[in-house]
Amino acid sequence: MTTGQIIAATARLWLTPRSPWMTRAKRELTAFSPQMVELGLRELFAEIAANVEELERREAPSFTFHVSRFALCHILSGNLPNPGIVSIVIGLLSGARNLVKPAAGDPMPALFVESLAVADTKLARRVKLTSDREAYRRADIVVAYGDDETIASLQKHRRQDAGATFFGFGHRVSIGVLDFRQSAIRIPQSSIIAAAARDASLWDQQGCMSPQCFYVRGDAAAFAAALAREMEVFDRRWPRVELGFEDAVAIARVRDEWSFRGRVWASKGSTHWTVVLDERSSWAPSPLNRFVFVRPVELLLKDKSKISTVGFAGFSLKEVMGRVRADRYCSLGEMQRPSLLLTSGSRPRVGDLAYES
């Protein structure tokens, strides 16, 4: 079996009914509700199972590896499990020995390696988990995920090592852009609203591809009200985890602030979701945890930087690209489901990590 075939087989182990790894992930990934974990991981492993062999054909180099000479270190953030798993997959396809430093308390890398060992013990031995903060100094290549300060610090130290290669993926935000006039869209408005609610709610808005704001052409207030209703529907099926005291207070405080500056729709008796209509400001950061802004499209700035993903509906791709620069553009509803076959600014290519023998 090729590396891609083994990884696809591993992904299918996660998708089987009563998968022991899915069961443990639902129990151990306490930052999210069990329902949210299962939805998010099923989509991740379905994508891997469907496309990793094609990814191997497209991106994996054709030469033979001297694995003992090639060490790749992954420094992972703990906000979301998906990027770390994809990073390990890319590292395996590149032929590397993989040193993985998970974030504190993140069980997913260990669970994935355990499931990989069931599919192929030899391949699993090419992944070693470590808590050593200096592991990156011993690696030929480092792939790091985290906030901008962490990435800058790691990159600064790597510059001291001649020939070292560093890929850093820091902070990004994402937005949605949509035309809510019925004459402008070819699908029902209800589908647009459901897609937007899904994008804003999946993984509790913790990833860089989670939209923090939707820019609307047409009746922004009507869209905001409809989005609030749909986010309530989503939350009933895939609830957000209960927050700690400080995060809950932060959301309550921001809700109060915006009640004087715009219009607020919020979950009753909880902080599970919030929609704010802001018709005057160009940008304000969301406190996350399913807290999303709605603004008129006229407030969208062309020069907004560090945009990860733009989800759009009712606009052409050309028009959206003319309004905002981003690493990735996709249909609304697909913002949190990036294709494994596209780098989209969130991972290096397999060939970028390979050393020729």
Side-chain angles (χ1 to χ4, degrees), residues 61-75:
S62 59
F63 49 75
T64 303
F65 303 104
H66 286 309
V67 175
S68 62
R69 293 172 50 193
F70 174 25
L72 167 61
C73 180
H74 309 259
I75 300 176

Side-chain angles (χ1 to χ4, degrees), residues 19-84:
S19 163
W21 298 284
M22 183 69 77
T23 299
R24 287 173 57 190
K26 289 163 62 177
R27 183 174 64 247
E28 296 176 24
L29 274 170
T30 56
F32 306 97
S33 70
Q35 298 94 322
M36 188 76 271
V37 170
E38 181 162 19
L39 175 63
L41 291 184
R42 283 197 172 278
E43 293 193 348
L44 168 66
F45 285 110
E47 173 66 20
I48 292 173
N51 287 319
V52 69
E53 293 177 66
E54 177 62 23
L55 177 66
E56 183 176 43
R57 284 191 288 271
R58 289 188 186 186
E59 293 193 14
S62 59
F63 49 75
T64 303
F65 303 104
H66 286 309
V67 175
S68 62
R69 293 172 50 193
F70 174 25
L72 167 61
C73 180
H74 309 259
I75 300 176
L76 307 182
S77 62
N79 60 318
L80 207 63
N82 296 29

Side-chain angles (χ1 to χ4, degrees), residues 240-285:
R240 199 209 63 197
V241 72
E242 294 300 329
L243 299 180
F245 177 77
E246 291 185 2
D247 288 335
V249 168
I251 289 177
R253 182 176 63 251
V254 178
R255 281 179 175 180
D256 288 343
E257 291 173 358
W258 280 98
S259 67
F260 295 100
R261 301 166 60 185
R263 293 179 61 185
V264 177
W265 293 260
S267 54
K268 293 182 179 180
S270 76
T271 60
H272 278 211
W273 58 266
T274 309
V275 177
V276 171
L277 174 65
D278 171 23
E279 298 182 288
R280 293 177 293 178
S281 308
S282 58
W283 177 258

Side-chain angles (χ1 to χ4, degrees), residues 286-300:
S286 164
L288 307 181
N289 290 299
R290 304 188 183 182
F291 191 118
V292 66
F293 290 93
V294 173
R295 297 186 173 93
V297 75
E298 291 77 17
L299 296 178
L300 178 60

Side-chain angles (χ1 to χ4, degrees), residues 83 86 143 145 169 208-209 308 327-328 338 342-348:
V86 171
V143 179
Y145 298 85
F169 299 93
C208 66
M209 296 181 183
S308 167
D327 294 329
R328 170 176 170 252
L342 300 174
T343 60
S344 65
S346 61
R347 66 164 178 85

